[in-house]
Amino acid sequence: MTKPEPVLSPARRAAIAPFIAMDVKREASLMEKAGGRIVHMEVGEPCAPPPRLAREAAIAALGGQPVGYTDALGLFTLRERIARHCHETYGVEVDPERVAVTTGSSGAFIMAFLALFDAGARVAIQNPGYPAYRNIFGALGVEAVDLPVDSSNHFAVTAAAVEKADAAQKLDGLLLMSPANPTGVMQSDESLREIADVCARRDIKFISDEIYHGLTYERPAQTALAFSDQAVIVNSFSKYYCMTGWRVGWLIVPPELTRIVERLQQSLAISAPTLSQIAAQAAFDASEELEAVRAGYRRNRDILLDGLPGFGLSELAPADGAFYLYCDISKFTDDSTGFCHELLHRAGVAATPGLDFDPHRGRYALRLSYAGAEADMVEALRRLKDFLRR
């Protein structure tokens, strides 16, 4: 009798929760392959193509010359352009030497977390919040400390909440996103200033996730660098610049971290994809095209904000920016996972259950992405209305 092969046991650090939005995307894609018509509202991915200038720059770079590695911190011309962007957009001066180009914001998070936190560190995150934060922390042995947000605090983190959490048990860091995923909520400039002050006073390392900057609808977003030169900034070309699959983002770090991040990048990634960096640099000059895309998101947001309350989805987080609506569905269910499964299979609308963003209260919520086409928003409303009536 043949002895069975031993089962390979994974490392304990690998036992992280799934990224549910990506699971929903996979299931929806399988349904499409089988001939179904799915309205995609599950993933935060622009439906618009990359800017024309970015595409043309990439094509030109493939004209026969080698496309090899760049320096570990990225093309210096791109780092200079990112620094110039900070000055033009926020009035903040940044030395290009402080900029690191990464493999998307995901790579930026990993570099920042490894550079700043040892295993066992405690880092506060807003809840509901982006699920990959918690999952990456879990893989790195870092403890995520929830800062709950809801309608009572406009779904925004306050300096008082950070101070209270630190007083209860010392925090090593704070990770804040504005505009936020899944809520779309923006921190006010004053709240960012107060939070930066608390972090400086209480020796809390402050990471500001700014990947949805540019996608705001009432007022522009401000960078945390305006209030703290010690803040670590994460940004990306995925959202505003419509370059998700190109996997290119950036970090801005204090000078004392530059060499540390460079060493980490050398071994963990070597460098961000060269072709993507070339295209990303060109994307900075495509503002007219990108602003037209943003105007489309605003129309999509308005269509949903006008239509959803008419059939019971009226409890929504403020949609200040990004391209998400976070909806309270407690009048319909206490099982957002089952609700989204039925919505996909019975109505052909792919949405993400709130449990992806909040392991506790998320069973009463779902997130809708309005990064798709305007016609899809109209179709989604019709399908949602029919689904909820049934």
Side-chain angles (χ1 to χ4, degrees), residues 72 78 82 100-112 130 136 209-211 233-239 243-252 261 265 269 271-274 276-277 280:
L78 176 55
I82 290 168
V101 183
T102 60
T103 51
S105 62
S106 300
F109 290 130
I110 293 169
M111 299 300 164
Y130 180 52
I136 297 172
D209 181 351
E210 301 180 356
I211 70 170
I233 307 301
V234 176
N235 211 322
S236 169
F237 290 92
S238 290
K239 307 303 182 179
M243 296 178 68
T244 52
W246 298 71
R247 308 313 302 136
V248 58
W250 74 84
L251 272 175
I252 300 174
V261 169
Q265 181 102 313
S271 67
T274 302
S276 297
Q277 293 188 58

Side-chain angles (χ1 to χ4, degrees), residues 57-94:
I59 291 168
L62 291 173
Q65 62 200 41
V67 180
Y69 300 132
T70 69
D71 290 344
L73 291 176
L75 288 169
F76 194 72
T77 54
L78 176 55
R79 296 165 68 197
E80 288 180 314
R81 188 62 184 86
I82 290 168
R84 187 177 127 202
H85 167 76
C86 290
H87 176 71
E88 293 173 345
T89 305
Y90 311 112
V92 173
E93 296 291 341
V94 171

Side-chain angles (χ1 to χ4, degrees), residues 28-375:
S29 296
L30 289 173
M31 292 175 65
E32 282 184 316
K33 287 179 182 178
R37 162 72 173 103
I38 306 300
V39 179
H40 288 276
M41 306 182 81
E42 77 277 30
V43 177
E45 183 169 36
C47 72
R52 176 182 57 80
L53 290 175
R55 301 194 306 270
E56 290 176 350
I59 291 168
L62 291 173
Q65 62 200 41
V67 180
Y69 300 132
T70 69
D71 290 344
L73 291 176
L75 288 169
F76 194 72
T77 54
L78 176 55
R79 296 165 68 197
E80 288 180 314
R81 188 62 184 86
I82 290 168
R84 187 177 127 202
H85 167 76
C86 290
H87 176 71
E88 293 173 345
T89 305
Y90 311 112
V92 173
E93 296 291 341
V94 171
D95 186 339
E97 294 286 352
R98 295 173 55 192
V99 178
V101 183
T102 60
T103 51
S105 62
S106 300
F109 290 130
I110 293 169
M111 299 300 164
F113 298 165
L114 287 171
L116 293 172
F117 306 121
D118 291 314
R122 305 179 74 251
V123 182
I125 58 173
Q126 59 216 82
N127 183 30
Y130 180 52
Y133 297 157
R134 191 184 304 274
N135 294 343
I136 297 172
F137 282 151
L140 297 180
V142 172
E143 180 185 352
V145 178
D146 286 341
L147 297 177
V149 296
D150 54 33
S151 57
S152 69
N153 52 22
H154 192 71
F155 286 88
V157 172
T158 64
V162 177
E163 196 154 15
K164 182 179 178 181
D166 185 60
Q169 188 176 350
K170 184 74 185 93
L171 294 175
D172 296 285
L174 168 69
L175 173 55
L176 189 68
M177 178 190 277
S178 175
N181 176 8
T183 62
V185 169
M186 287 175 62
Q187 299 286 144
S188 70
D189 289 4
E190 185 57 31
S191 71
L192 272 179
R193 183 189 304 278
E194 292 171 353
I195 287 168
D197 288 347
V198 166
C199 288
R201 179 162 40 85
R202 300 185 76 101
D203 192 24
I204 300 169
K205 295 163 184 171
F206 182 17
I207 304 175
S208 180
D209 181 351
E210 301 180 356
I211 70 170
Y212 292 101
H213 279 211
L215 298 179
T216 64
Y217 306 107
E218 312 303 334
R219 60 183 174 86
Q222 182 57 282
T223 178
L225 284 177
F227 310 113
S228 172
D229 202 45
Q230 289 294 298
V232 172
I233 307 301
V234 176
N235 211 322
S236 169
F237 290 92
S238 290
K239 307 303 182 179
Y240 177 74
Y241 297 95
C242 303
M243 296 178 68
T244 52
W246 298 71
R247 308 313 302 136
V248 58
W250 74 84
L251 272 175
I252 300 174
V253 299
E256 58 269 24
L257 286 184
T258 302
R259 178 58 177 160
I260 292 170
V261 169
E262 183 177 28
R263 293 200 304 258
L264 287 166
Q265 181 102 313
Q266 286 170 344
S267 291
L268 294 179
I270 300 182
S271 67
T274 302
L275 203 62
S276 297
Q277 293 188 58
I278 292 168
Q281 184 170 329
F284 276 118
D285 296 322
S287 57
E288 183 176 349
E289 185 177 348
L290 294 169
E291 282 299 292
V293 174
R294 184 174 72 97
Y297 298 150
R298 179 192 282 273
R299 290 192 297 273
N300 290 349
R301 181 189 72 150
D302 292 346
I303 287 169
L304 294 178
L305 289 177
D306 288 345
L308 291 174
F311 40 91
L313 294 177
S314 56
E315 300 297 321
L316 306 169
D320 303 322
F323 33 54
Y324 306 114
L325 292 178
Y326 196 61
C327 312
D328 184 333
I329 55 173
S330 59
K331 66 174 64 176
F332 299 103
T333 186
D334 62 358
D335 176 15
S336 61
T337 301
F339 183 93
C340 288
H341 179 83
E342 290 296 308
L343 181 61
L344 176 59
H345 285 270
R346 292 173 55 189
V349 176
T352 304
L355 281 174
D356 211 14
F357 314 100
D358 183 340
H360 309 295
R361 301 166 298 167
R363 66 184 186 275
Y364 300 113
L366 63 77
R367 187 195 72 175
L368 299 172
S369 168
Y370 53 86
E374 186 173 331

